[in-house]
Amino acid sequence: MAKIQPRIYKGTRDFLPEQMIKRNYVINIIKRVFEKYGFEPLETPTIELWETLSGKYGEEGDRLTYRFTDRGDREVGLRYDLTVPMARVVAMYPQIPKPFKRYQIQPVWRADKPQKGRYREFYQCDVDIIGSASMLADAEIVAIIYETLQKLGFSGFKIRINNRKVLSGLTEISGAGIEKEVEICRAIDKFDKIGLEGVQGELEKRGIPADARERILNYLEISGSNQERLNQLEKAFADSEIGLEGLAELRELFGFLKEYEIPDEFLLFDLYLARGLDYYTGPIYETVVEEPRIGSITGGGRYDRLIGLFSGQDQPATGTTIGLERIITVMEELNMFPENLRTSVQVLVTVFDRDSLPYSIKIARTLRDAGINTDLYTGKSKLRGQFGLANDKGIPLVLIAGPDEIQNRLVNIKDMRSGAQQQVDLAEMVNAVRKLLAAEAAG
RNA sequence: GUGGAUGUAGCUCAGUUGGUUAGAGCACCAGGUUGUGGACCUGGGGGUCGUGGGUUCAAGUCCCAUCAUCCACCCCA
């Protein structure tokens, strides 16, 4: 048989056990927070009909969506995010009680060129509230972002918050024409990278007239605390109904966030935040970490008209994506994972020889019945090799039972970290192992 | 999709103006240690120098093409 070169499709990855353990660690923390806030799980198919996906993400999004025809010539695609499939679900099952709080952790696919922290297949963790127009729903989302990142051990991050209506207001009073809003947003969004002068240049390139440019830049330059900037914009937006509406929403949102007692230093009203997706209609949010510079680790906002595309009837909705891949990248770079996260195996039961095998099986069964993650050695190496395996995998405890122990109903427990070894009665084994594991976890 | 850089052992890399048989560290395997890992010592396996073509007496080294990877832009998690 001809050997096939083992290769992997660009932008995709295998997750070996050591990585999976880290990923599960992160996912479990995220899930716990989501459920603590009253969100319930949802999953949707990998493949959707093309009509479900197309036109929801803007022109660029369409281009980056994997698309093909099945054997019956039906146009289908791989999901590009979790929000649109969820909107389809909500429209299909109107009986779901509202407000509907769902979370969803699944891979999505983008036909993008891979880069650092950017893949063609990657996981997203979404939380959304459907059926509430209240800013309280948005506050819940921001609060969940804050708590999730805290629980994961992040300390240096900022949740940037803006409102699409404020950007509409900005466009309106600039006099550039409301149809230029997307162009203006794109230009503004680049501020972080290119600075105010760069934004000026971008606006010019995108055909925004000089007087409109000047007005936009004027407002962008407004400085001060979150409150002060909201106040100043309120005056400037006197002639823009939509702009004022957006500011009022932000005021209410920040008011709620005060009740959640999220420290001010984590929240930033940021006029420069625009976000690319077309479907946002109200508050929008995004989280950035100070280092390493990797782009945003969460992103979301309110999208009150998306569900209407499927049901014919608009349904207020808001939510965020927590970017699992980037979070893991950052946590790895900042060494934020606990030390003893290399394996889920807690004990390796060695096998001395063929005659001692029944005794080893008995030991393993006893430990497993006690709920301890136990590997029983099934290979052909001598003790030396078995210890090597435990060492390579980072298994904390190794149990040894040879002829001497068997005769006296004893077992040897070796703590691989300290190198210390103790001999205990078989009846005491589970307790002794638990004790050592607890000490391990604490240390 | 556009622009730039880089490809030598499983990994990180060295390799002189082109000149014998391409090296190191780590990792791996075996032994020292027939009841015990990590440290140490000894030995060992492993490379069509990304691939294809060209120049040359001679190419890891120079040229062309191609593929792959990385970086930036675009967009985004």
Short mmCIF file of all heavy atoms in Angstrom, two decimals, chain A residues 88-108:
data_model
loop_
_atom_site.label_atom_id
_atom_site.label_comp_id
_atom_site.label_asym_id
_atom_site.label_seq_id
_atom_site.Cartn_x
_atom_site.Cartn_y
_atom_site.Cartn_z
N ARG A 88 -31.79 31.75 13.26
CA ARG A 88 -32.64 30.83 12.50
C ARG A 88 -33.44 29.94 13.44
O ARG A 88 -34.64 29.71 13.24
CB ARG A 88 -31.74 29.98 11.60
CG ARG A 88 -32.44 29.23 10.49
CD ARG A 88 -31.74 27.90 10.26
NE ARG A 88 -32.16 26.92 11.27
CZ ARG A 88 -31.37 26.12 11.93
NH1 ARG A 88 -30.06 26.13 11.73
NH2 ARG A 88 -31.84 25.30 12.83
N VAL A 89 -32.80 29.43 14.47
CA VAL A 89 -33.47 28.56 15.45
C VAL A 89 -34.61 29.32 16.14
O VAL A 89 -35.72 28.80 16.27
CB VAL A 89 -32.46 28.06 16.51
CG1 VAL A 89 -33.18 27.49 17.73
CG2 VAL A 89 -31.54 27.01 15.89
N VAL A 90 -34.34 30.53 16.55
CA VAL A 90 -35.35 31.31 17.27
C VAL A 90 -36.56 31.57 16.38
O VAL A 90 -37.71 31.51 16.82
CB VAL A 90 -34.75 32.64 17.78
CG1 VAL A 90 -35.83 33.57 18.28
CG2 VAL A 90 -33.73 32.35 18.88
N ALA A 91 -36.29 31.81 15.09
CA ALA A 91 -37.39 32.05 14.15
C ALA A 91 -38.16 30.75 13.87
O ALA A 91 -39.38 30.77 13.67
CB ALA A 91 -36.85 32.63 12.85
N MET A 92 -37.46 29.62 13.88
CA MET A 92 -38.10 28.34 13.57
C MET A 92 -38.94 27.80 14.71
O MET A 92 -39.88 27.04 14.50
CB MET A 92 -37.02 27.30 13.23
CG MET A 92 -36.84 27.06 11.76
SD MET A 92 -35.49 25.86 11.48
CE MET A 92 -36.40 24.32 11.51
N TYR A 93 -38.55 28.13 15.92
CA TYR A 93 -39.25 27.59 17.10
C TYR A 93 -39.80 28.74 17.94
O TYR A 93 -39.25 29.05 19.00
CB TYR A 93 -38.31 26.72 17.93
CG TYR A 93 -37.60 25.64 17.14
CD1 TYR A 93 -36.34 25.86 16.60
CD2 TYR A 93 -38.21 24.39 16.92
CE1 TYR A 93 -35.68 24.88 15.87
CE2 TYR A 93 -37.56 23.41 16.19
CZ TYR A 93 -36.30 23.65 15.67
OH TYR A 93 -35.65 22.69 14.94
N PRO A 94 -40.90 29.34 17.47
CA PRO A 94 -41.42 30.52 18.18
C PRO A 94 -41.91 30.20 19.59
O PRO A 94 -42.10 31.11 20.39
CB PRO A 94 -42.56 31.00 17.27
CG PRO A 94 -42.87 29.85 16.37
CD PRO A 94 -41.65 29.01 16.27
N GLN A 95 -42.12 28.92 19.87
CA GLN A 95 -42.63 28.57 21.19
C GLN A 95 -41.58 28.69 22.30
O GLN A 95 -41.90 28.60 23.48
CB GLN A 95 -43.19 27.14 21.17
CG GLN A 95 -42.17 26.03 21.08
CD GLN A 95 -41.77 25.68 19.64
OE1 GLN A 95 -41.91 26.50 18.73
NE2 GLN A 95 -41.28 24.46 19.43
N ILE A 96 -40.29 28.87 21.92
CA ILE A 96 -39.25 29.02 22.95
C ILE A 96 -39.59 30.23 23.82
O ILE A 96 -39.80 31.32 23.30
CB ILE A 96 -37.86 29.22 22.30
CG1 ILE A 96 -37.46 27.97 21.53
CG2 ILE A 96 -36.82 29.56 23.35
CD1 ILE A 96 -36.18 28.13 20.72
N PRO A 97 -39.67 30.03 25.16
CA PRO A 97 -40.04 31.14 26.05
C PRO A 97 -39.03 32.28 25.96
O PRO A 97 -37.82 32.03 25.86
CB PRO A 97 -40.01 30.50 27.44
CG PRO A 97 -40.09 29.03 27.21
CD PRO A 97 -39.44 28.77 25.90
N LYS A 98 -39.53 33.50 25.98
CA LYS A 98 -38.68 34.68 25.91
C LYS A 98 -38.73 35.42 27.25
O LYS A 98 -39.76 35.39 27.89
CB LYS A 98 -39.14 35.62 24.79
CG LYS A 98 -39.35 34.99 23.44
CD LYS A 98 -38.07 34.58 22.81
CE LYS A 98 -38.27 34.00 21.41
NZ LYS A 98 -39.38 33.07 21.24
N PRO A 99 -37.71 36.15 27.62
CA PRO A 99 -36.41 36.17 26.93
C PRO A 99 -35.72 34.83 26.99
O PRO A 99 -35.73 34.14 28.00
CB PRO A 99 -35.61 37.21 27.71
CG PRO A 99 -36.62 38.01 28.47
CD PRO A 99 -37.75 37.10 28.74
N PHE A 100 -35.09 34.49 25.87
CA PHE A 100 -34.37 33.24 25.70
C PHE A 100 -32.88 33.51 25.92
O PHE A 100 -32.28 34.30 25.20
CB PHE A 100 -34.64 32.70 24.30
CG PHE A 100 -33.86 31.46 23.93
CD1 PHE A 100 -33.66 30.42 24.83
CD2 PHE A 100 -33.37 31.32 22.63
CE1 PHE A 100 -32.96 29.27 24.46
CE2 PHE A 100 -32.67 30.18 22.26
CZ PHE A 100 -32.45 29.16 23.18
N LYS A 101 -32.32 32.86 26.91
CA LYS A 101 -30.88 33.05 27.18
C LYS A 101 -30.18 31.76 26.82
O LYS A 101 -30.35 30.75 27.48
CB LYS A 101 -30.66 33.38 28.66
CG LYS A 101 -31.34 34.68 29.09
CD LYS A 101 -31.26 34.88 30.58
CE LYS A 101 -29.92 35.49 30.97
NZ LYS A 101 -29.94 35.90 32.42
N ARG A 102 -29.39 31.80 25.75
CA ARG A 102 -28.71 30.58 25.34
C ARG A 102 -27.21 30.79 25.24
O ARG A 102 -26.74 31.86 24.92
CB ARG A 102 -29.28 30.07 24.02
CG ARG A 102 -28.67 30.67 22.74
CD ARG A 102 -27.46 29.85 22.30
NE ARG A 102 -26.94 30.26 20.99
CZ ARG A 102 -26.20 31.33 20.76
NH1 ARG A 102 -25.92 32.17 21.73
NH2 ARG A 102 -25.74 31.59 19.54
N TYR A 103 -26.47 29.72 25.51
CA TYR A 103 -25.05 29.75 25.19
C TYR A 103 -24.75 28.63 24.24
O TYR A 103 -25.48 27.64 24.15
CB TYR A 103 -24.17 29.68 26.45
CG TYR A 103 -24.09 28.35 27.14
CD1 TYR A 103 -23.16 27.39 26.73
CD2 TYR A 103 -24.89 28.05 28.23
CE1 TYR A 103 -23.07 26.16 27.37
CE2 TYR A 103 -24.80 26.83 28.88
CZ TYR A 103 -23.90 25.89 28.44
OH TYR A 103 -23.79 24.67 29.08
N GLN A 104 -23.69 28.79 23.47
CA GLN A 104 -23.36 27.83 22.42
C GLN A 104 -21.85 27.83 22.24
O GLN A 104 -21.23 28.87 22.03
CB GLN A 104 -24.07 28.27 21.12
CG GLN A 104 -24.02 27.26 20.01
CD GLN A 104 -24.95 27.66 18.84
OE1 GLN A 104 -25.73 28.61 18.94
NE2 GLN A 104 -24.85 26.94 17.74
N ILE A 105 -21.26 26.64 22.34
CA ILE A 105 -19.80 26.52 22.18
C ILE A 105 -19.54 25.51 21.08
O ILE A 105 -19.68 24.30 21.30
CB ILE A 105 -19.13 26.09 23.50
CG1 ILE A 105 -19.46 27.10 24.61
CG2 ILE A 105 -17.62 25.96 23.32
CD1 ILE A 105 -18.95 26.71 25.98
N GLN A 106 -19.21 25.97 19.90
CA GLN A 106 -19.00 25.08 18.75
C GLN A 106 -17.98 25.71 17.79
O GLN A 106 -17.76 26.91 17.81
CB GLN A 106 -20.33 24.86 18.01
CG GLN A 106 -21.32 23.97 18.73
CD GLN A 106 -22.52 23.65 17.86
OE1 GLN A 106 -23.48 24.39 17.79
NE2 GLN A 106 -22.44 22.51 17.18
N PRO A 107 -17.42 24.87 16.92
CA PRO A 107 -16.50 25.44 15.93
C PRO A 107 -17.24 26.18 14.82
O PRO A 107 -18.39 25.86 14.51
CB PRO A 107 -15.78 24.22 15.36
CG PRO A 107 -16.68 23.07 15.63
CD PRO A 107 -17.48 23.41 16.84
N VAL A 108 -16.57 27.16 14.24
CA VAL A 108 -17.06 27.85 13.05
C VAL A 108 -15.93 27.85 12.02
O VAL A 108 -14.79 27.55 12.35
CB VAL A 108 -17.50 29.30 13.37
CG1 VAL A 108 -18.56 29.31 14.43
CG2 VAL A 108 -16.31 30.15 13.79
#
